[in-house]
Amino acid sequence: MTHWWKLPSNLDIGQLMKVDEVIQAAKLLREGGLVAFPTETVYGLGADATSEQAVVNIFTAKGRPSDNPLIIHIGRKEQLSTWVSQVPEIAQKLLDHFWPGPLTLVLPHRDHIAPSVTAGLPTVAVRMPDHPVALALLQLADVPVAAPSANRSGRPSPTEARHVWSDLTGKIDILLDGGTTGVGVESTVVDVTGSKPVLLRPGGVTLEELEQVAGSVEIDPGLQREGEIPRSPGMKYRHYAPRGEMWLIQGAEEKVHDRIREMVRDAMRIGRKVGVLTTQEHKDKFQADVVIPCGRRSDPRSVAKGLFHALRQFDDEQVDLILSETFPETGIFYSVMNRLRKAADGKVIRV
Ligand code: TXA
Ligand code: MG
């Protein structure tokens, strides 16, 4: 049975550490249970990263392939050196600047964490999330918490407690409900084991923000080219996938809108249920079965925040075909486009 516990909003970390539900969740984590909790990016499904059995239970609950390693979450920066064997200067610089926050660092580990966390790799991914509930839970539990996004594998990441509930009820022990998450896309994953930082997954911290702190950052070729194997194992899977067939339409704005309208007409004529993923600015330009504006184009962070919820709405509406606008590949839109391409399984029409 899963407990869904709503937490009062506007409490700080100190106050949350005295809330009974948070105390019980932390205790359960230490006993090997599964706890879903909010972070600033998306909800995570947490387990004690030092317990192999608890970690294996995460993979089972999510239906996640076992070759896809997990991120460990810590509640205090000082805990990092307990779990990793080396913190290069560049890693220290990045964590000083971005932690707590949506940045995950890949570092060599000390062999103290359960082997399933790292899928046998010599490195471990670590982050300190910036959410009062997550930090209170992590500080109380006082163990590193392995936590992938709390969705069933392949589904869009959960940005609300009810998304977690619909994917994982009955499979986890506790769902801590801290409301809607703020960033909406997952953390940025950066490998800092080499001479230059390498971006493995774009996320809540943008490439431009990283470069301001780290100087130049390489981009994993697997992120850019078809056929290259990504260094972040999770990036090779189709992900964030809505149930309907999805296409991205890319090009000059007017042409994109014309093409989407044409495709909507053609598909509706043959009886398909069609959805359009757009933005507030353009939502009145389309007449489809379901038109979902995902944030404002003029406010890129709002698009990231609304993205996964929008993808789930198409599922709720049982749409057969989803046609999506696209965004310029800079700032947080770069992360949005990465998720959209995965959701569409790479299907892009250029007009
Ligand atoms: O925002 C987030 O990062 C969320 C919240 C819950 O913290 N978590 C999350 O976890 O997105 P997950 O498991 O969905 O994604 C973890 C990513 C995967 O792409 C995985 O392959 C990569 O991190 N990863 C983990 N360990 C790695 C390692 N040692 N080397 C390279 N990539 C690694
Ligand atoms: Mg995930």
Side-chain angles (χ1 to χ4, degrees):
M1 198 184 90
T2 304
H3 298 283
W4 180 346
W5 289 334
K6 279 201 172 57
L7 297 173
S9 51
N10 303 326
L11 296 189
D12 64 23
I13 301 169
Q15 291 165 323
L16 281 161
M17 285 173 77
K18 296 188 188 111
V19 171
D20 193 45
E21 285 85 345
V22 182
I23 295 170
Q24 284 199 51
K27 183 165 172 277
L28 199 96
L29 276 177
R30 293 179 67 91
E31 291 166 359
L34 296 184
V35 176
F37 60 96
T39 79
E40 81 282 33
T41 56
V42 300
Y43 275 77
L45 175 56
D48 176 358
T50 64
S51 160
E52 177 67 10
Q53 186 55 54
V55 173
V56 166
N57 291 343
I58 291 182
F59 285 87
T60 311
K62 280 187 57 110
R64 180 176 173 116
S66 60
D67 65 345
N68 190 4
L70 307 178
I71 296 171
I72 65 169
H73 297 66
I74 55 177
R76 293 190 180 87
K77 286 184 189 175
E78 309 81 73
Q79 292 166 335
L80 181 63
S81 56
T82 315
W83 311 108
V84 310
S85 57
Q86 238 184 65
V87 183
E89 204 178 316
I90 191 70
Q92 189 64 45
K93 215 167 157 181
L94 286 170
L95 75 87
D96 282 342
H97 193 88
F98 292 106
W99 281 7
L103 178 68
T104 294
L105 298 175
V106 173
L107 289 160
H109 63 73
R110 282 189 191 276
D111 285 324
H112 300 334
I113 38 183
S116 286
V117 171
T118 61
L121 293 170
T123 54
V124 64
V126 191
R127 85 178 191 100
M128 179 180 174
D130 186 16
H131 191 290
V133 173
L135 289 171
L137 180 71
L138 292 167
Q139 289 182 15
L140 283 174
D142 202 30
V143 289
V145 172
S149 47
N151 50 285
R152 231 175 37 244
S153 199
R155 296 219 64 209
S157 293
T159 52
E160 296 175 26
R162 64 188 162 120
H163 300 158
V164 180
W165 187 257
S166 93
D167 278 17
L168 297 177
T169 180
K171 298 193 162 84
I172 63 176
D173 300 299
I174 294 172
L175 163 56
L176 287 182
D177 183 348
T180 304
T181 61
V183 178
V185 292
E186 302 89 337
S187 62
T188 299
V189 181
V190 179
D191 183 332
V192 279
T193 56
S195 54
K196 250 193 190 174
V198 183
L199 177 71
L200 303 185
R201 176 178 76 179
V205 172
T206 66
L207 183 59
E208 293 83 349
E209 288 166 342
L210 278 177
E211 283 177 333
Q212 271 177 18
V213 176
S216 83
V217 174
E218 279 175 24
I219 300 177
D220 178 18
L223 268 181
Q224 293 165 304
R225 282 193 289 279
E226 290 277 314
E228 290 271 349
I229 297 174
R231 270 164 58 180
S232 175
M235 299 304 283
K236 69 174 182 272
Y237 298 104
R238 183 173 181 214
H239 221 127
Y240 321 111
R243 294 188 182 100
E245 175 188 343
M246 183 164 172
W247 288 87
L248 311 183
I249 322 297
Q250 205 162 35
E253 198 168 285
E254 280 310 310
K255 282 187 171 171
V256 166
H257 293 163
D258 285 344
R259 176 60 70 90
I260 290 178
R261 282 190 290 261
E262 187 186 312
M263 290 178 76
V264 168
R265 269 195 312 271
D266 290 349
M268 286 175 71
R269 197 175 296 136
I270 57 168
R272 299 183 83 188
K273 187 164 182 183
V274 186
V276 176
L277 181 56
T278 178
T279 46
Q280 285 294 347
E281 288 93 333
H282 298 152
K283 68 177 192 303
D284 298 328
K285 293 182 184 283
F286 307 104
Q287 281 172 324
D289 295 298
V290 184
V291 176
I292 298 180
C294 154
R296 299 190 71 80
R297 193 168 271 272
S298 58
D299 175 11
R301 292 245 161 216
S302 72
V303 175
K305 184 169 174 156
L307 179 67
F308 289 138
H309 178 62
L311 292 178
R312 280 178 182 261
Q313 277 178 288
F314 289 115
D315 283 352
D316 295 344
E317 300 276 355
Q318 303 194 330
V319 162
D320 302 310
L321 176 67
I322 304 163
L323 304 170
S324 175
E325 288 186 358
T326 48
F327 301 93
E329 311 249 351
T330 55
I332 196 74
F333 277 155
Y334 180 51
S335 311
V336 169
M337 282 301 293
N338 172 272
R339 306 306 191 267
L340 278 177
R341 258 189 247 102
K342 287 187 169 294
D345 208 13
K347 297 196 293 300
V348 180
I349 295 172
R350 292 189 178 79
V351 293

